Amino acid sequence: NTEARQAAADAFAATLAGLVEGFQLRGLPQRRMAEELNKLSIRAPRGGTWGLRQVQLLLGRLTPTRDTLIRE
């Protein structure tokens, strides 16, 4: 079910929100964020290592879009 997968992905992203915010405050580029997540032994959503695309998807989930702001 698509809605359940999206809800699970949103919940997973929310658990990393504080950590990602810290990365952003430190001015880390996205590739470095992936390296840091891997160094911290935090597994990517499907259980593997973090790469640039996984970080980009994570950031996309954590950044409110215009559509989500309008719905709230």
Side-chain angles (χ1 to χ4, degrees):
N1 159 341
T2 302
E3 292 170 0
R5 281 185 292 143
Q6 288 177 344
D10 289 341
F12 179 77
T15 66
L16 298 175
L19 187 61
V20 169
E21 183 179 1
F23 291 163
Q24 290 173 322
L25 290 173
R26 290 170 43 202
L28 294 184
Q30 293 174 357
R31 289 185 194 278
R32 182 73 191 279
M33 290 181 193
E35 291 171 10
E36 292 293 318
L37 288 163
N38 289 323
K39 282 182 190 176
L40 294 169
S41 298
I42 298 172
R43 293 283 169 209
R46 294 187 182 175
T49 58
W50 288 88
L52 177 60
R53 185 64 183 146
Q54 286 84 7
V55 170
Q56 291 171 336
L57 292 169
L58 173 66
L59 293 173
R61 287 205 174 274
L62 294 175
T63 305
T65 64
R66 184 174 158 260
D67 291 338
T68 55
L69 293 174
I70 290 171
R71 283 189 297 229
E72 294 175 356

